[in-house]
Amino acid sequence: MSRLRNQVHMTEDFENLLAYNLYNQTGYSNTEDRNNIKKMLKVGIDNILTEKQRKCVIMHYFEKKPMKQIAKELGVCPSTVTRTIQLAKKRLSILSVFL
């Protein structure tokens, strides 16, 4: 898993989906602020999320796998994957206090 995390690069799509609350709460919009948010999200993914949350987030947002495929690979229900990603996004929203 750590090998996979090292290959992760923030994409605009991923940033927009996960950082939506951060932008709304802070109002930051310039390039420097956006780059700082990207760095914080990367740190958050590596350090704040559980292993299960990290796997689901990487598989869905970076590998672009659908929820059903992730569920099949992890041996869980699709609703579990959806809930896990929602909880991961909630956990990452705590980063807004550092902005």
Side-chain angles (χ1 to χ4, degrees), residues 10 38-48 92 95:
M10 290 291 170
K38 288 179 187 181
K39 289 177 188 175
M40 289 178 70
L41 282 171
K42 175 71 169 98
V43 169
I45 289 169
D46 290 343
N47 297 296
I48 295 175
L92 290 173
L95 296 173

Side-chain angles (χ1 to χ4, degrees), residues 18-76:
L18 287 182
Y20 180 75
N21 287 336
L22 293 176
Y23 289 130
N24 284 339
Q25 292 172 14
T26 63
Y28 292 139
S29 62
N30 68 37
T31 302
E32 183 179 346
D33 293 331
R34 291 169 60 93
N35 287 335
N36 288 336
I37 289 173
K38 288 179 187 181
K39 289 177 188 175
M40 289 178 70
L41 282 171
K42 175 71 169 98
V43 169
I45 289 169
D46 290 343
N47 297 296
I48 295 175
L49 300 183
T50 65
E51 188 66 23
K52 186 176 181 180
Q53 290 171 339
R54 190 173 14 262
K55 283 181 184 179
C56 288
V57 165
I58 289 172
M59 293 171 84
H60 184 66
Y61 290 110
F62 293 107
E63 298 175 5
K64 304 290 187 194
K65 292 182 180 180
M67 301 283 187
K68 286 184 180 180
Q69 183 179 349
I70 296 169
K72 186 176 180 180
E73 289 180 24
L74 297 179
V76 298

